[in-house]
Amino acid sequence: FFPVIGYHVRMEDYGKINDTINTVQGMRRKAGNEAIQHHLDEAHKHGIKVLMPLYPAVGEELHGPNGIPYVREVVSNFKDHPAVIGWMIRDEPDIRGHAVEELAEVYREIRMLDPVHPTYMVIAGGSAYENYFRVTDIAATDIYPMPNGPITRVGTGIDNATNLFPEKPVYSILQTFQTASYPYLPNITEVRHMAYQSILEGAKAIGYYSYTDPNWDIQQSTLYPGLIDFMQKELSYISGFMLDGEQIDAYKDDQVRWGLWEHE
C-alpha cells in the first residue's frame, strides 16, 4: 500500500476523493466513540485508510482526560477497525512545545496496546528530526517552499530524515494550499516536482496539505484537475515500483536527479 494522504478532508467528501488520495487524517481528539466509529465506517465504505490523531491540544496535561487516558481508550476500541492504518502521535511537536519525553510515553502506551499499527509524526524543522523521530515508527516532513524556494528544500528534507533514520519509513507532506499567510498556490508542475524529489530521495508516501481550511477548498481550486491526472496517470503506476521494485541506480547533481527501478 502506497499512501497518498489528504489532510483536513471532510467526511462528506469521502466518496469523491478516490481519484486523488487513498488515506486521510482522522477525526481530531475529543470525539466520542460513536462519532469515531461512524467516521471510520464511512472511510472503510469508500476504500479510504485513516491515520487516527491521538494528540491533545497544546497546554493540555499529558495525564489529563485528553492525554494518556484518551490514547488508551481510542487505541483499545479501534485498533482492529479495518480503516485504521496508523496512529498520529503529534503534529509538529517541535514548534508546539511538546517534549520528546512526553511523546516517548505516548509511544510506549500505543505500542503496548497495539503492536500492529505504526505511529506517525510530522516534524516541522530539520534541526529537530534527530530528537523527535526517535519516538515514532513513521517520520514525516512538511516543507512548504513556494514561492520563494528553493523548491529543492523538499528533497533535502527527505534526504536528511532518511539518512538519520534509514530503518524508518519517511513520508513527505507537500504544499497544496493557499491562505492569507501562504498566498501562493503551487501549480501542478511544482507539486509533481516536489513529489518526485520526495520519491527519489526515498519517501515511502506523499501527502497533501491541505484539502480544506477556512476559506480554502482544494476541490474548487485550479490545482485539483492536475492532482487527479497525477494520481491516475503517474502515482498509481509508480507505486508498484516503490512497493515491489528494486532501485538499481540513482544520480543527482545541482541540476538533475533520476532513479532507475527494476520491477517484473
Side-chain angles (χ1 to χ4, degrees):
F1 185 70
F2 185 85
V4 183
I5 305 161
Y7 273 71
H8 302 177
V9 182
R10 295 179 296 243
M11 186 165 56
E12 58 265 31
D13 289 336
Y14 282 3
K16 309 173 187 176
I17 59 176
N18 293 83
D19 51 3
T20 54
I21 60 175
N22 56 28
T23 304
V24 297
Q25 176 195 35
M27 294 187 74
R28 291 293 302 275
R29 60 182 186 83
K30 294 184 178 178
N33 287 340
E34 185 175 340
I36 294 174
Q37 182 72 50
H38 176 62
H39 162 249
L40 292 174
D41 289 347
E42 284 296 302
H44 184 58
K45 181 172 73 175
H46 295 291
I48 300 294
K49 296 298 183 182
V50 177
L51 285 164
M52 193 66 196
L54 297 173
Y55 38 88
V58 174
E60 290 189 332
E61 292 293 328
L62 179 64
H63 295 283
N66 295 308
I68 292 293
Y70 182 76
V71 169
R72 289 172 180 156
E73 180 180 6
V74 174
V75 174
S76 297
N77 287 334
F78 299 105
K79 64 183 180 180
D80 295 323
H81 196 288
V84 172
I85 195 174
W87 307 107
M88 302 177 77
I89 296 182
R90 289 291 186 278
D91 184 48
E92 299 180 330
D94 50 320
I95 61 174
R96 301 181 192 276
H98 295 291
V100 172
E101 294 77 10
E102 173 187 325
L103 304 178
E105 186 171 348
V106 175
Y107 177 78
R108 285 192 296 268
E109 289 286 340
I110 296 170
R111 288 274 63 87
M112 286 189 295
L113 293 166
D114 180 3
V116 175
H117 296 94
T119 65
Y120 166 97
M121 187 159 53
V122 179
I123 308 301
S127 61
Y129 290 172
E130 188 166 8
N131 277 337
Y132 285 93
F133 283 163
R134 290 186 290 113
V135 292
T136 185
D137 300 315
I138 296 171
T141 67
D142 59 350
I143 297 169
Y144 306 146
M146 307 304 294
N148 299 318
I151 196 172
T152 50
R153 284 181 55 217
V154 173
T156 299
I158 296 295
D159 184 42
N160 291 341
T162 54
N163 284 333
L164 281 169
F165 298 99
E167 77 283 0
K168 292 183 187 289
V170 176
Y171 293 4
S172 182
I173 307 303
L174 307 180
Q175 178 184 350
T176 58
F177 64 95
Q178 187 174 39
T179 64
S181 56
Y182 277 86
Y184 182 83
L185 176 64
N187 61 45
I188 189 58
T189 298
E190 291 161 339
V191 172
R192 290 177 63 251
H193 195 290
M194 292 186 284
Y196 274 103
Q197 284 181 63
S198 303
I199 292 166
L200 288 168
E201 293 292 358
K204 302 302 182 186
I206 65 166
Y208 301 134
Y209 188 91
S210 64
Y211 258 62
T212 60
D213 274 311
N215 302 314
W216 169 246
D217 184 342
I218 199 171
Q219 294 180 89
Q220 304 303 317
S221 73
T222 56
L223 180 58
Y224 200 68
L227 292 180
I228 294 174
D229 278 350
F230 186 40
M231 181 66 159
Q232 294 179 344
K233 297 177 181 178
E234 295 175 71
L235 284 180
S236 60
Y237 178 70
I238 64 175
S239 63
F241 290 83
M242 300 298 102
L243 294 171
D244 302 317
E246 178 186 1
Q247 187 169 8
I248 57 176
D249 202 358
Y251 174 82
K252 70 176 176 179
D253 60 23
D254 60 351
Q255 294 296 318
V256 67
R257 65 186 63 191
W258 54 259
L260 179 65
W261 275 261
E262 185 177 67
H263 182 230
E264 298 182 352

